Amino acid sequence: MEVQKSDQSAQAKIWKFIYGFVDTLVLRSAIELGIADIINNHGEPITLSDLATQLPVQPTNTNNLFRIMRYLVHVKLFTKEVDDDGTVRYGLQPAAKFILKGWDRSMVPAIIAITDKDFMSPWHYLKDGLAGGRTTAFEKALGKGIWDYMAENPAQNQLFNEAMACDTRLLTSALIRDCKDMFNGMKSLIDIGGGTGTALRAIAKAFPHMKCTVFDLPHVIADSPNYPEVDRVEGDMFKSIPSADAILMKCILHDWADDECIKILKQCKEAVPRDGGKVIIVDIVLDMDPVHPYNNMRLCMDLDMMLNTGGKERTEEEWKKLILSAGFSGYKIKHISAVQSVIEAYPY
């Protein structure tokens, strides 16, 4: 009997892996249908029939909707209440606020981008990453490297940039709150690969004495909003970087292999002054702590980098080796209330 229970538990674990994609794609469908927004705008738990009348898919098959809602309740995104007369109403669980559209901590852009068919296709080439060479799974799936693909596909590039801006909004408040001292005394800051300028705009508002500049590839700058607080400069970080008191790189170095990171860091070193200049790296530091709430996500991100860019997430020891190999004199790591940590690297 004990053996049967053990087998049953083991098989259940495998079945959970097999159908792991269901959570992801049902979540995407809930966002596309706007279920959380409809319930939130309703102001109180809503009946199935009232929900059905407000969905973008009309006429709505209410039996299918009931089955989708049953699953969303099961995974604790929504609540189910039953009135005294037997009427069923659906409400929001705390996690559902992150799939509401239009607020600064919404995770909707990240979810839509990550679950896009093209962006999911490299995962079907995971085993190919074991082969030699520098060809990524992204190249195998979509025929070209991720940066060339983005430059040639404006719609996908917009999805990608919106996802990056979403991630930025989630961590920028923690960066500003937890690292105020780091920005004191700076007169200028350049955000390398700063995308739409979301992070830098928030930093510029928090520290109005600083001149803040986004530096990115031409097609990214062309699609980025023109914020009055932020200057925009196009260029290639492998060739040259404009001068500033400090360089900020948020989720940039994890896109690249070690030798390329060293090239980027050397360019950064040339761009900051010898007296007080520094490079601020905001990236994941793998601590391999199995009980940390972000541990699984960090390991998933490592595989994501391997598949899509050929990069990696790094342990502190790996960061140390990288920074010192680029000729920097030292570094300091600060853990903040976000998935990423802050690494202050000192060139001189």
Side-chain angles (χ1 to χ4, degrees):
M1 188 67 178
E2 289 300 320
V3 173
Q4 288 181 341
K5 285 184 178 179
S6 176
D7 282 352
Q8 193 174 49
S9 176
Q11 287 184 27
K13 186 171 185 175
I14 298 301
W15 279 115
K16 185 177 180 180
F17 285 133
I18 293 170
Y19 278 106
F21 69 91
V22 174
D23 287 2
T24 301
L25 297 183
V26 173
L27 172 63
R28 180 186 174 95
S29 294
I31 290 169
E32 292 174 326
L33 291 167
I35 293 173
D37 297 286
I38 291 170
I39 296 173
N40 186 61
N41 293 336
H42 191 68
E44 60 183 3
I46 194 171
T47 65
L48 190 73
S49 58
D50 284 344
L51 175 61
T53 62
Q54 298 183 57
L55 294 179
V57 178
Q58 294 294 331
T60 300
N61 183 318
T62 54
N63 180 59
N64 287 352
L65 177 60
F66 163 77
R67 292 156 74 181
I68 290 172
M69 292 306 299
R70 177 170 61 187
Y71 191 85
L72 290 167
V73 169
H74 168 70
V75 296
K76 295 182 171 54
L77 269 177
F78 297 95
T79 62
K80 177 183 175 182
E81 304 173 5
V82 183
D83 294 345
D84 292 339
D85 63 0
T87 302
V88 175
R89 301 179 188 275
Y90 297 96
L92 303 177
Q93 289 274 21
K97 70 181 180 181
F98 292 105
I99 61 170
L100 293 172
K101 302 181 182 77
W103 71 296
D104 61 353
R105 297 183 69 195
S106 173
M107 297 178 72
V108 167
I111 296 165
I112 294 300
I114 291 169
T115 60
D116 177 79
K117 288 180 180 178
D118 278 3
F119 293 154
M120 288 191 76
S121 60
W123 288 92
H124 290 275
Y125 293 82
L126 182 61
K127 66 178 177 60
D128 297 270
L130 299 177
R134 297 292 292 270
T135 302
T136 63
F138 192 99
E139 290 176 79
K140 290 183 179 293
L142 296 166
K144 59 192 65 178
I146 186 169
W147 310 122
D148 289 337
Y149 175 87
M150 294 301 176
E152 296 174 18
N153 292 272
Q156 300 302 94
N157 184 57
Q158 183 178 352
L159 269 185
F160 179 83
N161 285 335
E162 288 173 355
M164 293 302 98
C166 169
D167 182 52
T168 294
R169 285 190 292 269
L170 291 173
L171 77 86
T172 299
S173 59
L175 178 64
I176 294 171
R177 182 180 63 249
D178 299 343
C179 300
K180 285 183 179 179
D181 292 345
M182 184 175 65
F183 296 104
N184 287 337
M186 285 187 199
K187 294 181 180 178
S188 57
L189 178 68
I190 290 185
D191 187 359
I192 303 299
T196 60
T198 302
L200 206 57
R201 187 188 190 198
I203 292 170
K205 286 183 174 181
F207 305 96
H209 64 279
M210 276 195 307
K211 179 184 178 182
C212 293
T213 304
V214 168
F215 180 77
D216 214 319
L217 294 170
H219 72 272
V220 177
I221 294 296
D223 292 337
S224 65
N226 190 12
Y227 297 128
E229 305 89 349
V230 176
D231 293 335
R232 299 181 300 161
V233 176
E234 62 181 51
D236 184 340
M237 63 187 172
F238 287 102
K239 295 178 180 177
S240 66
I241 293 172
S243 297
D245 289 345
I247 303 294
L248 173 66
M249 288 190 288
K250 183 195 74 66
C251 303
I252 298 298
L253 295 183
H254 75 167
D255 287 334
W256 303 96
D258 288 355
D259 55 347
E260 292 158 322
C261 286
I262 290 170
K263 290 177 184 177
I264 296 168
L265 286 169
K266 286 181 175 179
Q267 292 287 356
C268 291
K269 184 177 180 180
E270 295 298 317
V272 299
R274 294 187 66 89
D275 184 14
K278 59 185 171 183
V279 177
I280 302 166
I281 302 164
V282 184
D283 243 320
I284 287 172
V285 177
L286 291 175
D287 52 20
M288 297 302 179
D289 178 1
V291 299
H292 195 285
Y294 289 137
N295 185 60
N296 185 70
M297 186 272 189
R298 289 167 174 164
L299 294 173
C300 289
M301 283 294 295
D302 180 54
L303 294 179
D304 193 310
M305 294 303 102
M306 180 183 78
L307 292 173
N308 291 313
T309 69
K312 62 191 289 189
E313 306 298 350
R314 294 174 170 90
T315 63
E316 179 173 353
E317 190 60 32
E318 288 172 318
W319 279 115
K320 178 181 178 181
K321 181 179 178 182
L322 200 67
I323 291 166
L324 297 183
S325 295
F328 282 58
S329 63
Y331 70 96
K332 180 173 66 176
I333 294 179
K334 183 178 179 64
H335 299 290
I336 59 174
S337 50
V339 175
Q340 297 84 3
S341 297
V342 177
I343 307 168
E344 283 187 80
Y346 309 111
Y348 301 103

